[in-house]
Amino acid sequence: MFIQHKKPKSRGVIVFTALYLACFLAFAIMTGGYCFLWYFGAQLLLTIGLVVAHRNVGYSRTLLWALSLWGFLNLLGFVDLDSLSVNVPRSSSCVGELWLLTPSINFSNLVHVYGFGVATWVSWQTLCQLIHSRYQRRLMPSFGLLVLVMSSAVGYGALNELVEFYIQLWFLQGAAGSYGAICWDMSAVCLGALLAAISIKLRNL
């Protein structure tokens, strides 16, 4: 069960996040990666939303750092190692397209596993805090509740794929991702949610 009685100091996370957001923004403008700004804008809105949520819920310090790292890794995936720029849509030389395990598992897939595992953890801490603040009850990670928070994370993953699809469709002249790539991403989302649920159950995070 997770109960945060006192909101942790988050200044370090805020500074780190603001620094890498500013660096990626400057890098995109300097290298002419203006299409990347649509993705950057989406992540900035998500970051603002998480700041608001944290003020109301009060996530653990570890989770805040995990969220910040997810944002950094997500933006890093757009960096093109050949041209030293941000490339949208991603080319084969972008960090996100680098094959790490097999010809089917790349950097982006692993970021999906990690990121939506973190999203599952966010859902769990949010649920625990809301129930405790309203009803003074402490939740234990039962099977039903873990399925609920896993489903919410998978839903966030599906929404993420839709946002990427429409950004590419509307602003990048129809350069939408393939069906196979989307299926690999969603498989990674489901795996990340499952691993996070198992960790919450075993460690009672």
Side-chain angles (χ1 to χ4, degrees):
M1 90 202 106
F2 168 81
I3 299 297
Q4 184 78 42
H5 295 288
K6 190 176 181 180
K7 291 183 181 179
K9 294 181 179 180
S10 54
R11 182 176 300 174
V13 185
I14 293 173
V15 171
F16 173 70
T17 305
L19 280 175
Y20 77 66
L21 286 174
C23 288
F24 275 107
L25 178 60
F27 185 55
I29 294 174
M30 290 172 58
T31 60
Y34 299 110
C35 289
F36 169 79
L37 296 181
W38 294 107
Y39 287 91
F40 180 87
Q43 179 147 332
L44 183 60
L45 289 175
L46 181 60
T47 301
I48 294 172
L50 285 169
V51 169
V52 173
H54 174 58
R55 288 183 176 180
N56 289 281
V57 176
Y59 299 115
S60 67
R61 183 179 301 176
T62 305
L63 179 54
L64 293 176
W65 277 106
L67 284 165
S68 182
L69 178 60
W70 180 20
F72 174 78
L73 293 174
N74 187 51
L75 294 178
L76 182 63
F78 291 97
V79 175
D80 192 313
L81 297 176
D82 283 349
S83 62
L84 292 180
S85 63
V86 284
N87 200 333
V88 181
R90 289 173 176 154
S91 67
S92 59
S93 57
C94 280
V95 173
E97 300 302 317
L98 295 178
W99 305 117
L100 298 182
L101 298 179
T102 72
S104 298
I105 307 298
N106 59 24
F107 178 87
S108 179
N109 298 140
L110 295 183
V111 171
H112 276 68
V113 173
Y114 167 77
F116 289 97
V118 173
T120 305
W121 195 11
V122 169
S123 295
W124 174 246
Q125 289 198 3
T126 302
L127 183 62
C128 286
Q129 286 289 82
L130 290 178
I131 294 299
H132 184 260
S133 63
R134 293 184 182 183
Y135 306 107
Q136 300 302 306
R137 293 186 59 184
R138 295 176 179 268
L139 295 181
M140 299 302 292
S142 65
F143 177 78
L145 290 176
L146 290 177
V147 169
L148 179 64
V149 295
M150 282 177 59
S151 299
S152 69
V154 172
Y156 299 147
L159 181 60
N160 174 71
E161 295 301 318
L162 284 174
V163 169
E164 287 191 3
F165 172 77
Y166 285 115
I167 286 177
Q168 293 186 22
L169 187 65
W170 292 340
F171 302 110
L172 302 178
Q173 299 177 347
S178 68
Y179 178 76
I182 293 174
C183 286
W184 276 115
D185 283 346
M186 287 307 300
S187 296
V189 167
C190 292
L191 177 59
L194 177 61
L195 293 176
I198 293 172
S199 298
I200 291 169
K201 180 65 176 178
L202 294 178
R203 302 192 62 185
N204 204 13
L205 298 173

